[in-house]
Amino acid sequence: MSLALENLRAPKPTERPDLWPWSAKFADGELTLGGWPVTKLVEQCGSPVYVLDEPDLVGRATVWATVMAEEFWVGYGMGGGSAYYAAKAMMSARVIELVTAAGMGVDTASLGELTTALHAGADPNMIGLHGNNKSDEELRLAISAGERGIARIVIDSADEVARVAAIAEELGRKARVMIRVTTGVHAGGHEFIATAHEDQKFGLSLATGAAKRVALDIQDYESLEFVGVHSHIGSQIRDLDAFSESAGRLLGLVKDLQDEGVACNELDLGGGYAITYTGQDPEPTSPKDIARALASAVRNKCEELGLKVPHVSIEPGRSTVGPSTVTLYRVGTVKEVPLGDGKSRLYVSVDGGMSDNIRPALYEADYTALLANREASSALVLARIVGKHCESGDIVVHDVALPADVKRGDILAVPATGAYGHAMSSNYNMLTRPGTLGVGTGDPHWIIYPEKLSDLLDRDAYLASKN
Ligand code: LLP
């Protein structure tokens, strides 16, 4: 077997535990999730299906909340630390219930996300709201929630200040606000998911002084309470220095503001911590090491600038929920396509595709896939897993080594689909979106129901008018 092919094989859970949810095992010739054989899950619940290992999610949420609380503990001379789950990665009431019970807050970015978080029972004092174009309705809900409104509305532009202030005044409340700062630190894989460089839609520039001006503006309003500064530099980032650099720049602003008599008690460093998607990825840095590196960068910069260490929070989405979930697909058509030079590639079509995971098409994101319903016996061949959509870019896994005898009816498991899989799913080609099945806590249960064709047909106003 060639080394290149061996490298493209999906490692099993024992080989790369960082790629799979904690309960994943390959036992008795098949993959089990939460103790349930994948054949049974697919037989009973259909495919494609996202399978979410609930104890895995709870574990990761507990770890993030704990390491932030510990590394930024006031007893160490710090200002306290916390972690907000970035719900855009995967929003569902059950997920919110699990991560908040584990000690995380919730970062939301729309009326739908905020409403779900509140309905799921998240404490408004641990909820944030982002967005470069928040609606009045979103702001109203954020400000009126609970006893004091949500913990932080992250102001993204100069003209938002007066709008938030007016709504808070109308509601007779003081809105707690942060400002989103563009620090100029650019990190992460794809340009579309790197967010703190200058020429893009988010935030207020540090370099031009816009961030400082807006922070000062906020002080003019009785109905606003300035909580602190925020930056999110991108996604799937491995380079911890990028976060430290961004923290340092934010603290420079905090110092500037302090010199103007404005106190800034909180610093949020956003999300973006990388996870493992394939066997070729390096192991990710542990949350403990990340929190420790952030704490040391913040402490050193505060010492240098003569600042009291603020409360520090982060917003990990992908690294909380991403590894918890595996997508199970059924294999349909298998086709050998010649590549020239006597080589060929096996095109393996599955029953989902870019409608349940747009990331390979949108960001050229890499995934891997394991033949999950039986032990592989034949030699490995170069394969590409494709979906069933009418588009040649409809790729689930670009390059993977699969056993040559992979055939119709087999089950393929694609790990690490918990973040931005369901969240960015669509009905392209009128496909119904798969459900998310929770495992690991009692019997498998739906967290998100699979869509039915009737759900889609019901939205067709013309059809409805004829019935
Ligand atoms: N905080 C803010 C303000 C954000 O905008 C985001 C992600 C996060 C936190 C969470 O980042 P995470 O820890 O999940 O990397 N759809 C893309 C990712 C876009 C993320 C947008 N914002 C993807 O599929 O990779």
Side-chain angles (χ1 to χ4, degrees):
M1 180 192 316
S2 83
L3 192 61
L5 267 185
E6 175 60 18
N7 284 342
L8 289 176
R9 180 180 65 81
K12 286 187 176 154
T14 42
E15 298 171 277
R16 284 297 298 265
D18 53 320
L19 181 62
W20 296 94
W22 295 353
S23 73
K25 288 193 177 62
F26 204 95
D28 300 327
E30 79 172 293
L31 183 71
T32 66
L33 298 167
W36 299 88
V38 291
T39 45
K40 188 148 262 157
L41 293 175
V42 167
E43 250 163 48
Q44 290 182 1
C45 304
S47 64
V49 60
Y50 305 106
V51 183
L52 187 154
D53 178 347
E54 293 193 348
D56 179 284
L57 174 65
V58 171
R60 289 175 207 278
T62 307
V63 165
W64 274 123
T66 308
V67 295
M68 287 304 289
E70 187 182 343
E71 295 299 327
F72 289 91
W73 184 43
V74 284
Y76 297 157
M78 307 294 273
S82 50
Y84 284 67
Y85 167 63
K88 70 203 74 191
M90 196 306 184
M91 183 42 127
S92 91
R94 175 66 172 161
V95 165
I96 296 304
E97 179 184 74
L98 293 175
V99 301
T100 54
M104 289 184 97
V106 187
D107 153 34
T108 65
S110 70
L111 187 66
E113 288 184 5
L114 180 55
T115 305
T116 310
L118 290 168
H119 285 196
D123 176 1
N125 287 307
M126 285 294 283
I127 298 180
L129 176 68
H130 278 280
N132 62 303
N133 186 22
K134 302 177 196 74
S135 67
D136 287 356
E137 202 181 355
E138 287 165 343
L139 291 172
R140 239 178 233 117
L141 179 60
I143 296 168
S144 58
E147 311 255 295
R148 300 177 56 207
I150 64 169
R152 71 264 288 268
I153 294 170
V154 185
I155 291 199
D156 201 277
S157 59
D159 64 6
E160 209 182 339
V161 178
R163 276 183 63 225
V164 178
I167 293 172
E169 200 177 325
E170 178 194 310
L171 293 169
R173 292 215 155 174
K174 217 170 161 93
R176 291 180 273 178
V177 299
M178 290 184 115
I179 53 167
R180 169 93 174 241
V181 181
T182 318
T183 58
V185 178
H186 175 135
H190 195 280
E191 188 194 348
F192 297 162
I193 55 177
T195 54
H197 54 300
E198 295 287 344
D199 189 10
Q200 45 86 17
K201 69 173 185 168
F202 291 111
L204 295 151
S205 165
L206 188 62
T208 65
K212 180 174 171 185
R213 274 196 304 280
V214 168
L216 293 176
D217 263 5
I218 290 170
Q219 314 306 316
D220 295 340
Y221 294 89
E222 272 291 305
S223 59
L224 299 181
E225 178 185 333
F226 181 61
V227 175
V229 292
H230 182 290
S231 164
H232 170 77
I233 59 172
S235 242
Q236 187 58 6
I237 302 169
R238 294 183 190 281
D239 175 14
L240 290 187
D241 291 345
F243 292 103
S244 302
E245 178 62 30
S246 172
R249 294 189 193 187
L250 281 182
L251 286 165
L253 174 62
V254 171
K255 165 76 173 143
D256 245 20
L257 290 172
Q258 180 173 289
D259 292 345
E260 303 266 355
V262 174
C264 189
N265 298 323
E266 288 195 31
L267 196 69
D268 191 299
L269 300 175
Y273 310 100
I275 64 165
T276 302
Y277 282 104
T278 74
Q280 286 124 297
D281 286 342
E283 276 191 24
T285 312
S286 73
K288 175 102 180 153
D289 288 342
I290 292 171
R292 188 159 283 181
L294 296 181
S296 131
V298 167
R299 183 197 291 268
N300 292 344
K301 193 73 185 180
C302 285
E303 257 169 38
E304 181 192 320
L305 297 173
L307 289 172
K308 184 168 166 284
V309 183
H311 181 101
V312 175
S313 51
I314 57 170
E315 297 168 338
R318 185 190 315 270
S319 54
T320 310
V321 76
S324 72
T325 301
V326 173
T327 307
L328 301 178
Y329 298 98
R330 238 338 157 192
V331 172
T333 309
V334 179
K335 193 190 279 184
E336 192 175 338
V337 175
L339 299 177
D341 306 345
K343 293 192 184 124
S344 67
R345 192 201 289 278
L346 204 60
Y347 273 77
V348 178
S349 299
V350 294
D351 48 1
M354 62 196 295
S355 53
D356 60 75
N357 189 358
I358 189 71
R359 301 191 70 258
L362 193 58
Y363 312 124
E364 294 178 2
D366 286 324
Y367 285 83
T368 190
L370 183 73
L371 177 65
N373 57 308
R374 62 187 169 92
E375 196 72 65
S377 48
S378 57
L380 292 178
V381 293
L382 179 64
R384 173 161 292 166
I385 299 171
V386 294
K388 61 180 274 119
H389 293 275
C390 301
E391 199 153 317
S392 53
D394 172 26
I395 291 169
V396 177
V397 181
H398 289 99
D399 295 303
V400 62
L402 285 179
D405 67 350
V406 59
K407 58 179 187 301
R408 185 174 194 85
D410 275 337
I411 296 172
L412 293 181
V414 176
T417 55
Y420 308 108
H422 165 263
M424 297 204 296
S425 60
S426 76
N427 294 120
Y428 186 35
N429 290 135
M430 286 292 272
L431 259 66
T432 51
R433 286 174 295 175
T436 299
L437 194 66
V439 295
T441 47
D443 284 348
H445 51 275
W446 290 117
I447 292 177
I448 299 278
Y449 288 124
E451 252 168 359
K452 301 187 289 293
L453 187 53
S454 59
D455 296 328
L456 270 56
L457 296 176
D458 284 350
R459 294 192 65 217
D460 189 306
Y462 186 65
L463 275 184
S465 75
K466 298 217 298 186
N467 287 334

